Amino acid sequence: LLKEIKQTDEKKIQLSIVLPKEIGDNKKFTLSSITLDKKVLTQAAALEKEINVLVKNEEGETEYYWDFDSKVIHEDKNRTVNLLIEKIPLKDDKIIAKLLNLSKEKKTLGGIVINIKNGSTFPWVSTATLSIDKKWGLEQGKKVYVYRYNEITKKLEELPNSILEVTKDGTLELPVIQGGKYIILSIKADSKIVTPLMGQIKVSPS
């Protein structure tokens, strides 16, 4: 792969990862990471190339894919990145279900928990493009509301790009700065459980 990055004239390098069916079917086995080696990131950044990583199932269907733009570096690029994403139904995540008060919610709330397993800030500008299943109650061509769960405050955080749109072909482009749980909802979350952007700014005394 490193040799290909050096030799190709293409500005975008595309990789494909196929997840064996046995992994998804085996309840006793938990996949913890899909790593993109720091050497790949370093080499691509040096040559100002973008990286596109597709994660597929054995049927060839794309579960999600990552786009990394090396032109904007958030942090140290010399760090391995975990590409694994878990899609968890709202009701199956006990913490989020309790926060959203799903047991008492009268309206049908569409949504999904997107658990991005990378443990820290992504070194590059990163976008995860997700396939959105209709069974989650998120409609194609409609707006959705995106939040990130803060494990310290136990609340949702408003994001700079909190309102996104599911495309007509059923995908959603999610800008990602750091790992953690991203909550995608069909309607706005109750303001009582959301920390707005201004509330996330910390001012230190001079």
Side-chain angles (χ1 to χ4, degrees), residues 76-154:
D76 176 20
K77 62 181 177 292
N78 299 311
R79 183 157 32 86
T80 296
V81 171
N82 187 353
L83 304 177
L84 183 63
I85 295 177
E86 293 177 335
K87 301 174 183 178
I88 309 168
L90 293 179
K91 62 180 178 60
D92 291 348
D93 188 309
K94 294 181 179 179
I95 294 174
I96 301 303
K98 183 178 180 180
L99 182 64
L100 295 173
N101 204 16
L102 289 186
S103 62
K104 297 181 181 179
E105 181 66 45
K106 294 180 181 179
K107 297 179 182 178
T108 301
L109 180 63
I112 189 74
V113 177
I114 301 298
N115 191 10
I116 295 176
K117 302 293 283 186
N118 191 59
S120 59
T121 303
F122 281 84
W124 296 3
V125 167
S126 311
T127 304
T129 300
L130 313 162
S131 296
I132 300 298
D133 198 313
K134 290 182 179 179
K135 69 183 180 183
W136 301 337
L138 303 172
E139 298 182 37
Q140 297 176 1
K142 298 290 186 179
K143 291 179 181 179
V144 293
Y145 301 87
V146 184
Y147 307 89
R148 185 177 180 276
Y149 178 67
N150 187 312
E151 294 187 355
I152 297 175
T153 64
K154 309 299 181 185

Side-chain angles (χ1 to χ4, degrees), residues 16-202:
S16 291
I17 299 170
V18 178
L19 300 178
K21 189 172 184 294
E22 289 76 9
I23 291 178
D25 292 345
N26 191 344
K27 303 300 182 183
K28 296 182 180 179
F29 180 85
T30 302
L31 183 65
S32 61
S33 66
I34 301 174
T35 57
L36 183 62
D37 193 271
K38 60 185 179 182
K39 292 179 181 179
V40 175
L41 294 170
T42 303
Q43 186 66 61
L47 298 173
E48 296 185 344
K49 295 187 177 184
E50 297 177 23
I51 295 180
N52 174 247
V53 184
L54 287 79
V55 179
K56 301 181 176 182
N57 57 34
E58 281 192 345
E59 283 71 40
E61 299 168 332
T62 300
E63 297 288 340
Y64 56 90
Y65 61 88
W66 285 99
D67 283 303
F68 297 100
D69 186 349
S70 63
K71 294 175 185 176
V72 182
I73 307 294
H74 288 311
E75 282 188 354
D76 176 20
K77 62 181 177 292
N78 299 311
R79 183 157 32 86
T80 296
V81 171
N82 187 353
L83 304 177
L84 183 63
I85 295 177
E86 293 177 335
K87 301 174 183 178
I88 309 168
L90 293 179
K91 62 180 178 60
D92 291 348
D93 188 309
K94 294 181 179 179
I95 294 174
I96 301 303
K98 183 178 180 180
L99 182 64
L100 295 173
N101 204 16
L102 289 186
S103 62
K104 297 181 181 179
E105 181 66 45
K106 294 180 181 179
K107 297 179 182 178
T108 301
L109 180 63
I112 189 74
V113 177
I114 301 298
N115 191 10
I116 295 176
K117 302 293 283 186
N118 191 59
S120 59
T121 303
F122 281 84
W124 296 3
V125 167
S126 311
T127 304
T129 300
L130 313 162
S131 296
I132 300 298
D133 198 313
K134 290 182 179 179
K135 69 183 180 183
W136 301 337
L138 303 172
E139 298 182 37
Q140 297 176 1
K142 298 290 186 179
K143 291 179 181 179
V144 293
Y145 301 87
V146 184
Y147 307 89
R148 185 177 180 276
Y149 178 67
N150 187 312
E151 294 187 355
I152 297 175
T153 64
K154 309 299 181 185
K155 296 176 72 174
L156 303 182
E157 291 183 336
E158 183 183 14
L159 301 173
N161 299 300
S162 270
I163 303 176
L164 301 175
E165 185 174 312
V166 179
T167 65
K168 292 182 179 179
D169 63 355
T171 60
L172 179 73
E173 292 186 3
L174 178 64
V176 176
I177 295 177
Q178 59 184 321
K181 290 182 180 180
Y182 288 77
I183 319 304
I184 303 173
L185 302 174
S186 58
I187 59 175
K188 280 187 178 181
D190 190 325
S191 60
K192 294 177 182 177
I193 63 169
V194 177
T195 304
L197 283 172
M198 290 300 293
Q200 298 171 39
I201 298 173
K202 295 181 179 179

